[in-house]
Amino acid sequence: HTRAASSGEVSIKNAHPFRLGKILGAHNGAVYNHEELCVRLKRNFTVDSMHLFAHLNENRPFEELVARGAIEWIHSDDPKTIYLSKLFAGELAVYGIGTENNVEGIVWSSSYKHLLKSLFCAGISNHFRYAVRRGYVYSVNNAVFSILKDVKLQVTEPVFKKPEPEPQNNEEAPSSDEAGATQRRQDPTPSRRMDDDVLWRSRLWNEGRQLLR
């Protein structure tokens, strides 16, 4: 794994996967309350992703994590089963090689674009896509892709505040009520960023299909 560090220095020690107790896992994304968790839970983690696997190992509620991305992990009690989950605003592309009635293998990535390009470069055109829902946990074992219906990982969604524009031409700054109304007009749907994420994934999927023609 070659990392673009979101926290901690770029080093072998800080590279995924991480082992926390019985959990060995990797994550593409971010944990935004990394420092607060280190203080409150007395953890000395250099990389924010470590909190995800520590929570899995300690069976702590994922609502404590303000996070995004996609994760994969194994448990030492069942090392032949790989678990996958898509958190808030993350990509998790899972494809079966072959047909739905004759699956020869399963591949996945935290990027649709990269996975489709990899399949293309490998000369694999006979594949299909598995549907993946946010917050659910999936397992891969012996070319069988399954959903764990009774298990969900619901993280707390990060809230990003947009900076208020500075007044120009000696105009007075809008009041808080006016600013709020302007914000709602510009971004009327709170889940707009999620819609943009879906459109982005759809565009990548269409690009990949064109590559494979």
Side-chain angles (χ1 to χ4, degrees), residues 8-208:
E9 65 179 8
V10 178
S11 64
I12 294 176
K13 177 184 176 182
N14 288 345
H16 299 238
F18 298 110
R19 182 183 294 277
L20 278 299
K22 292 188 174 184
I23 303 295
L24 178 69
H27 168 228
N28 185 10
V31 177
Y32 295 98
N33 58 338
H34 161 55
E35 294 182 359
E36 181 265 326
L37 289 169
C38 282
V39 173
R40 181 164 61 85
L41 301 178
K42 295 181 174 55
R43 292 173 175 172
N44 188 26
F45 293 163
T46 55
V47 179
D48 55 350
S49 301
M50 293 177 174
H51 291 289
L52 294 162
F53 309 115
H55 266 55
L56 287 169
N57 184 62
E58 299 167 11
N59 199 27
R60 297 186 66 92
F62 258 52
E63 289 85 351
E64 295 180 340
L65 302 165
V66 181
R68 65 169 176 85
I71 61 174
E72 61 178 353
W73 74 94
I74 61 174
H75 194 288
S76 61
D77 291 346
D78 184 17
K80 293 184 178 180
T81 300
I82 301 172
Y83 298 96
L84 310 171
S85 187
K86 171 187 171 182
L87 307 176
F88 165 77
E91 285 188 13
L92 177 57
V94 184
Y95 281 76
I97 297 174
T99 65
E100 293 185 29
N101 296 324
N102 183 25
V103 182
E104 299 175 19
I106 297 175
V107 293
W108 61 89
S109 173
S110 57
S111 167
Y112 283 92
K113 185 176 182 179
H114 293 166
L115 182 56
L116 289 170
K117 284 187 176 181
S118 297
L119 289 169
F120 175 77
C121 291
I124 300 173
S125 58
N126 193 23
H127 55 72
F128 62 95
R129 177 182 171 184
Y130 286 107
V132 174
R133 298 173 62 187
R134 186 178 70 175
Y136 284 83
V137 176
Y138 301 86
S139 66
V140 179
N141 189 322
N142 197 26
V144 176
F145 182 70
S146 306
I147 182 172
L148 280 64
K149 295 182 179 179
D150 298 329
V151 181
K152 293 188 73 174
L153 300 180
Q154 293 287 11
V155 298
T156 297
E157 298 182 5
V159 177
F160 302 105
K161 294 183 179 180
K162 294 182 179 179
E164 295 184 4
E166 296 183 2
Q168 298 180 353
N169 300 327
N170 297 323
E171 294 179 1
E172 292 185 4
S175 66
S176 58
D177 290 341
E178 291 174 344
T182 303
Q183 175 68 20
R184 286 192 293 274
R185 285 196 297 272
Q186 292 176 345
D187 192 5
T189 307
S191 60
R192 173 70 177 273
R193 60 181 182 273
M194 290 305 302
D195 294 337
D196 292 344
D197 186 48
V198 171
L199 289 172
W200 173 242
R201 293 199 304 270
S202 176
R203 185 166 73 83
L204 290 179
W205 169 241
N206 289 330
E207 287 180 1

